[in-house]
Amino acid sequence: MRDASPATTYALHIGVIALLFALNFVLPDYHQGLFARIMALAVFAMGYNLLFGYVGLLSLGHAMFFSAGLYGAGLTVYHLGWGVPEAFIAGIACGALLALVIGLLALRTSGVAFMIVTMMFAQVFYLLILYFAAWTGGDQGLVIQQASRVVSIGAASFDLTDPTVRYMSALALFAVVLLITLAIVRSRFGRVLVAIRENEERTKMLGYDTVANKLVAVVASGAICAASGAAYALLFGYVGSSFASIQYSILPLLWVLLGGAATTLGPLIGTLFMYYVTDITSGFTSAYLLIVGVALILLVLFFPKGVLGSIRERWLGWLP
Amino acid sequence: MKPLLTTKGLSRNFGGLRAVDGVDFALMPGEIRAIIGPNGAGKTTFVSLLSGRIRPSSGMIVFDGADITAMPAYKRVRLGVAYTFQITSVFANLTAFDNVALPVQRTLTDGRSKGQVRSGVMAALERTGLADRAGTLAAHLSYGHQRLLEVAMGLALKPRLLILDEPTQGLADGEIDNFITLVREIAKDATVLLIEHNMPVVMQLANRITVFNSGKILAEGTPGEIRAHTQVQDAYLGATHG
Ligand SMILES: Nc1ncnc2c1ncn2[C@@H]1O[C@H](COP(=O)(O)OP(=O)(O)OP(=O)(O)O)[C@@H](O)[C@H]1O
Ligand SMILES: [Mg+2]
């Protein structure tokens, strides 16, 4: 990070949040719904980016953290009748705990081995969801009824199925996670994470227990991805095994690569871009995945560091 | 006075090669010690064993009275053993400031220094003459400046023992003079172990010199004694600087 006054940086991020807030009032219904979904999933991408972008650890198993949150929140509501806030916290706790266990095991490896190990664990997680179909609903999944998705705070009650409440809830989560990520990457801890990505051996020789730092990053990343999953279950009312499949481990990687790895706002841009390209192209052709693929290839060719990564490289060196 | 660092029978093999071979070594607090020897003598391997970057095949290392033979490198750094690399290994994609901030914030976390990261970083950059390069990416610094940055990072660790592996390699003559002044200053509050091929630098700086050859200590003494040593002249002075 170069020559950025903290004020500029925070102003930029607050500005993006304010813009998203304003969009709620101008977007047509359909796009308002899409944006709520995109913001919830951008949180997933931000969690992934923390580990992949800043620490340089490429995981192919983050679907398990997302779905730990998804099922942690969804099943406690569905089977135990928990309220929304408790279920949300349960989802995050499941993701953080899972990340701690996976981190302790997977961080014995690095590089390709780390990719494979995380992918294997995620596959195990996926199969467990199918195996315990009696509770999880298997590949059919579970629908969480509207009645369970109402939050009461004092006298006021918020219905998460209401489009505006849903949009604002997704935005609130997005804003909190964005500011947390920004604070992390600007902190001393964030500097150590980047150093590990750049040269782990050298970082050790500066007195850092790099394994311990990576473990903290895995847990933080897992908890953020789980928050996204938990929010998804509560906001959109569906919990299903497809969210634990390999596809959902690869998607956050694509979103982050597109938007710009190791940029705080890249995950949002990548998620937004992918969603809209898919949405627009699937409207007029059934071969939309082909077009998405071509768009991805073009982007990687012309913006190898993703949208924001390239902008930072060429124009705005101070972007965090 | 008790030595700051001793090794006993310290050895490291690479396959059949005995890169370091049963070295008994002692370093007194406050001294500037130079290690010289021909290429491949085992100097870098020896100091890598001291810093914990590589593990010994056998033998023992004692630092400040404690056996650190099995201690991981990062803990040795926290005890005050700092190592600067022979092959420049600054963080190329980080600014000079961030490169030095990493060791500074380490000593702050360990409670071995006080104050702000920024002031600690600027102090280290000023001592090495890099203050005006704080915002420059390390990759964009000249080679000589990268070497100095490497030293600044070592300094910022507040070491009790600073190990410098060929710090003047690639420096211009003017830069070398500044470097000599810098090391003298560092030595006021740290012990310095310096691997160096540049004999004038060694002769000006070192209180004592240890000569390595084929993984073993060939000779040890004051600069005057080493200069007069005929075996050393054969093995090293004559061979590489004839
Ligand atoms: N990681 C390694 N694997 C195998 N052999 C090694 C390794 N590191 C060093 N060696 C060998 O050990 C011997 C000692 O190497 P070392 O780098 O310690 O020498 P040096 O005295 O520092 O030499 P120079 O003056 O060239 O830096 C050399 O023969 C070298 O090839
Ligand atoms: Mg060497």
Side-chain angles (χ1 to χ4, degrees):
Chain A
M1 208 185 303
R2 281 167 285 163
D3 310 318
S5 75
T8 321
T9 308
Y10 280 100
L12 173 70
H13 290 75
I14 303 282
V16 169
I17 292 166
L19 178 69
L20 288 167
F21 180 82
L23 278 176
N24 173 63
F25 304 100
V26 292
L27 285 176
D29 289 354
Y30 174 73
H31 293 277
Q32 186 194 27
L34 204 53
F35 258 73
R37 211 171 282 260
I38 288 170
M39 286 188 289
L41 290 173
V43 170
F44 184 16
M46 286 193 279
Y48 188 82
N49 185 35
L50 182 63
L51 198 62
F52 169 66
Y54 290 96
V55 195
L57 282 171
L58 199 160
S59 148
L60 286 181
H62 262 50
M64 71 181 140
F65 302 130
F66 181 81
S67 32
L70 189 84
Y71 282 93
L75 297 187
T76 48
V77 170
Y78 192 88
H79 292 295
L80 306 175
W82 285 18
V84 168
E86 299 91 322
F88 182 64
I89 290 169
I92 296 178
C94 288
L97 190 68
L98 180 66
L100 178 67
V101 175
I102 300 294
L104 283 170
L105 297 169
L107 285 177
R108 293 157 179 269
T109 65
S110 60
V112 176
F114 184 81
M115 291 160 55
I116 293 172
V117 169
T118 47
M119 190 165 88
M120 299 307 277
F121 278 121
Q123 203 59 20
V124 170
F125 194 83
Y126 176 60
L127 293 173
L128 284 174
I129 289 171
L130 294 181
Y131 183 80
F132 290 104
W135 289 285
T136 62
D139 53 3
Q140 300 287 305
L142 301 170
V143 172
I144 299 165
Q145 298 305 322
Q146 177 173 7
S148 319
R149 289 157 59 202
V150 178
V151 194
S152 308
I153 302 170
S157 80
F158 299 93
D159 181 354
L160 294 182
T161 59
D162 173 79
T164 295
V165 173
R166 179 155 67 192
Y167 187 98
M168 288 304 170
S169 307
L171 174 59
L173 176 66
F174 171 81
V176 167
V177 171
L178 178 66
L179 295 178
I180 289 177
T181 327
L182 181 62
I184 290 179
V185 305
R186 291 179 57 86
S187 70
R188 292 181 185 183
F189 174 56
R191 188 180 272 135
V192 177
L193 296 185
V194 170
I196 291 174
R197 177 191 74 200
E198 293 294 315
N199 188 342
E200 182 167 354
E201 284 310 303
R202 187 70 180 101
T203 311
K204 280 184 194 162
M205 296 309 295
L206 293 174
Y208 290 98
D209 183 349
T210 55
V211 177
N213 277 283
K214 287 194 285 187
L215 184 61
V216 175
V218 169
V219 173
S221 169
I224 292 174
C225 295
S228 166
Y232 201 91
L234 296 166
L235 295 178
F236 302 101
Y238 174 70
V239 163
S241 63
S242 60
F243 291 111
S245 68
I246 179 79
Q247 192 194 347
Y248 273 81
S249 288
I250 292 176
L251 277 174
L253 173 63
L254 285 182
W255 295 332
V256 167
L257 283 175
L258 275 180
T263 63
T264 46
L265 289 165
L268 172 69
I269 293 180
T271 313
L272 191 70
F273 184 87
M274 268 281 272
Y275 248 81
Y276 269 93
V277 170
T278 312
D279 191 66
I280 293 166
T281 51
S282 63
F284 60 86
T285 165
S286 57
Y288 66 93
L289 278 179
L290 181 73
I291 298 181
V292 172
V294 170
L296 280 178
I297 290 170
L298 288 179
L299 237 128
V300 169
L301 283 179
F302 292 104
F303 293 97
K305 300 201 162 167
V307 176
L308 274 189
S310 302
I311 290 178
R312 168 163 66 189
E313 191 172 63
R314 288 175 208 174
W315 299 293
L316 303 176
W318 54 269
L319 272 184
Chain B
M1 203 160 34
K2 277 207 300 199
L4 178 66
L5 177 105
T6 53
T7 71
K8 260 213 186 88
L10 195 62
S11 306
R12 170 68 204 218
N13 309 328
F14 291 116
L17 175 77
R18 296 175 165 202
V20 173
D21 189 5
V23 170
D24 297 326
F25 179 83
L27 194 60
M28 295 316 257
E31 74 173 303
I32 301 181
R33 174 74 63 94
I35 296 183
I36 63 172
N39 295 115
K43 306 179 296 293
T44 296
T45 308
F46 177 65
V47 295
S48 298
L49 293 170
L50 303 183
S51 70
R53 211 159 65 90
I54 57 175
R55 303 250 151 251
S57 309
S58 62
M60 184 165 125
I61 308 166
V62 175
F63 181 74
D64 196 22
D67 183 348
I68 60 163
T69 316
M71 184 182 278
Y74 74 87
K75 286 192 181 160
R76 298 186 200 196
V77 176
R78 295 179 190 179
L79 282 185
V81 181
Y83 176 75
T84 71
F85 285 64
Q86 172 171 9
I87 298 164
T88 306
S89 87
V90 295
F91 296 97
N93 295 322
L94 303 187
T95 59
F97 183 94
D98 279 336
N99 269 276
V100 181
L102 284 157
V104 167
Q105 69 186 39
R106 181 71 249 164
T107 61
L108 290 170
T109 308
D110 295 345
R112 294 194 291 122
S113 65
K114 285 197 166 52
Q116 300 259 308
V117 174
R118 171 161 291 277
S119 56
V121 172
M122 292 320 290
L125 288 176
E126 257 149 39
R127 280 180 86 177
T128 46
L130 293 172
D132 56 338
R133 303 293 153 91
T136 309
L137 287 187
H140 297 163
L141 292 174
S142 71
Y143 182 75
H145 282 155
Q146 289 185 15
R147 295 300 300 162
L148 287 173
L149 182 58
E150 185 83 47
V151 175
M153 291 162 77
L155 260 183
L157 281 171
K158 299 263 183 256
R160 298 170 62 199
L161 169 60
L162 178 60
I163 302 170
L164 300 164
D165 197 346
E166 299 198 22
T168 66
Q169 203 183 44
L171 291 192
D173 288 349
E175 291 173 321
I176 289 182
D177 291 340
N178 290 338
F179 176 78
I180 291 173
T181 319
L182 175 64
V183 172
R184 287 220 174 94
E185 235 182 82
I186 295 171
K188 284 179 193 156
D189 34 42
T191 307
V192 176
L193 183 58
L194 171 75
I195 299 180
E196 189 52 75
H197 276 297
N198 184 327
M199 287 315 286
V201 173
V202 171
M203 291 301 172
Q204 283 182 65
L205 276 176
N207 308 122
R208 289 178 72 77
I209 299 174
T210 301
V211 187
F212 266 70
N213 195 25
S214 317
K216 291 191 167 80
I217 294 182
L218 175 68
E220 197 171 288
T222 61
E225 288 164 2
I226 293 303
R227 198 175 300 162
H229 202 291
T230 50
Q231 263 181 302
V232 174
Q233 285 169 355
D234 290 347
Y236 182 62
L237 300 174
T240 52
H241 290 267

